[in-house]
Amino acid sequence: MKPEITFQKKIEHLFRREYVKICASLSHRFGIQNIQIVEDSVQDALIKAMQVWGYTDIPDNPSAWLYKVASNRALDILRRENKSNTFPEYLNDSLVEEPFSEDIDQVNDDLLKMIFTTCHPVLSTQEQIMLSLKLLCGFSIDEISRALVKQNEAVKKSLTRAKGKFRSISKGFELPQDGEEQKERLEVVLKVLYLMFTEGYKATSGQNLIKSDVCEEAIRLTYILSNHSRYNSPQVFALLALMCFNYARFSSRQDPQMHLVTLKDQDRNNWDKNYINMGVCYLSMSAKGSDLSKYHLESGIASLYIMPEKYSETNWPEILRLYDLLVEIDPSLSAKLNRIVVLSKVKNCKIALNELNLLHKNYPKIETHLFFAIRAELEQSCALIEHAIKSLYKAIELAQNEIEKRFLEAKLKTVLN
């Protein structure tokens, strides 16, 4: 039995879903030079919604309600600060009476412009990613810090600089016209959407392992890209395939008691066949052309995990081959750690543990629970029980997500017994 969805959860889900749409629409109307006012106004609208809707029913069209409240708030601030000359001249008081656009093409057009404007070349790559996570995903400072493995203060300073540059973009909302610029900005956009989905798929901290609303928004934005003739590149389809394959397993990644369930123990009958079929379709569409991106390889790996009817039928040698290619394209710590897990399936725990120790020499200051959780698993398989216990204690110490922490604590209890 699924836990009851609380009022606050409903509001959070709605706000996460509507945040970027309302920010994009208001930024388009008030001008991106007023992005901070727009963002503050949308945040204020959420606070007011939680206060008002707690005593009354949620309106039939909550999107329009949030839009109108945020729009009124932004206009009030602009008037109070005597900035009426800082937004486009064609705007007037009738803006607040204008309903939130339900035209899907107009909404998607505003979203595309917001996506690519946050990835404008006037910003550094790091600033593009941070600003996109803030404006497109509604990420908090803490969420951005965890996603990019940075200190909160550093993120705050970078965001302040990025917003300053963002406001200086003279042409406002625009889509890149030059082919090379379009390609460069699309790469950043895809990285942002990838980070967004990853944070939702496996939350780095808090009480929840999964943030389905974050993943759904990442899928929706990627889908919008895939339907645009100028941006539906093979990489976009590959990323969309990866998201579909992983989202298909959502309902099986936790049991009714909210405990983590590993791939081996998941009930495959509960996997969403529609998302699996969509993943297969998008993976096929991504095969056009000669480019091989990290998204192609990761979606290929995800397909090999999800297509067999039984865990015992998993094609580990083929998965290892794809991981070997992946670490050449994307030599990240995460890719290398996942490859070592697969190596243990193809070879043995001793070979995998040796590679993990070599990896540790290259990353002597590793402070991620995943590294020590993998080490513990390999040490336990190699009958190095004392070492495994030590590694599990370290993994538990570093784990920030409560569900993962409980999973590791249960594993430690098993090893101790």
Side-chain angles (χ1 to χ4, degrees), residues 35-213:
I35 186 62
Q36 187 61 58
I37 291 174
V38 166
E39 192 179 2
D40 291 343
S41 299
V42 178
Q43 292 282 357
D44 288 345
L46 170 68
I47 294 172
K48 188 170 183 178
M50 295 189 74
Q51 293 171 341
V52 174
W53 297 352
Y55 296 97
T56 63
D57 292 334
I58 295 177
D60 294 335
N61 192 339
S63 301
W65 191 98
L66 288 168
Y67 173 82
K68 184 173 182 178
V69 171
S71 181
N72 283 336
R73 177 62 175 158
L75 197 57
D76 286 345
I77 294 173
L78 287 167
R79 285 170 174 162
R80 186 170 63 247
E81 296 184 2
N82 196 26
K83 290 185 177 179
S84 59
N85 63 331
T86 64
F87 54 86
E89 293 179 0
Y90 62 82
L91 290 179
N92 52 50
D93 292 356
S94 66
L95 171 71
V96 296
E97 302 302 328
E98 181 181 313
F100 181 56
S101 175
E102 299 291 344
D103 182 343
I104 190 64
D105 291 332
Q106 178 61 52
V107 171
N108 288 349
D109 186 59
D110 283 347
L111 284 172
L112 278 176
K113 288 176 180 177
M114 174 67 96
I115 290 170
F116 280 95
T117 304
T118 56
C119 295
H120 195 281
V122 73
L123 303 167
S124 70
T125 301
Q126 195 74 356
E127 289 170 339
Q128 291 171 344
I129 292 171
M130 286 186 182
L131 194 61
S132 296
L133 290 174
K134 187 75 175 71
L135 298 180
L136 296 179
C137 318
F139 272 27
S140 66
I141 298 295
D142 285 342
E143 287 175 316
I144 296 173
S145 299
R146 291 193 299 269
L148 301 180
V149 196
K150 290 188 174 295
Q151 296 296 320
N152 280 18
E153 280 305 312
V155 170
K156 287 180 183 178
K157 290 178 181 178
S158 294
L159 273 174
T160 299
R161 288 195 301 269
K163 286 180 179 179
K165 293 180 183 179
F166 190 68
R167 288 191 292 268
S168 72
I169 300 173
S170 59
K171 292 183 180 180
F173 268 20
E174 62 175 11
L175 293 173
Q177 303 299 320
D178 177 72
E180 190 58 35
E181 180 187 350
Q182 177 179 303
K183 182 179 179 182
E184 291 175 0
R185 285 165 74 174
L186 181 59
E187 287 179 1
V188 179
V189 168
L190 294 181
K191 185 171 184 179
V192 168
L193 294 173
Y194 176 85
L195 289 173
M196 182 180 180
F197 185 88
T198 300
E199 174 62 22
Y201 181 74
K202 190 175 181 182
T204 48
S205 68
Q207 301 290 330
N208 301 312
L209 178 67
I210 297 166
K211 297 177 182 177
S212 59
D213 55 339

Side-chain angles (χ1 to χ4, degrees), residues 271-286:
W271 289 356
D272 193 318
K273 300 299 189 296
N274 289 330
Y275 271 95
I276 293 174
N277 291 336
M278 284 191 289
V280 171
C281 177
Y282 290 129
L283 185 59
S284 175
M285 294 169 73
S286 76

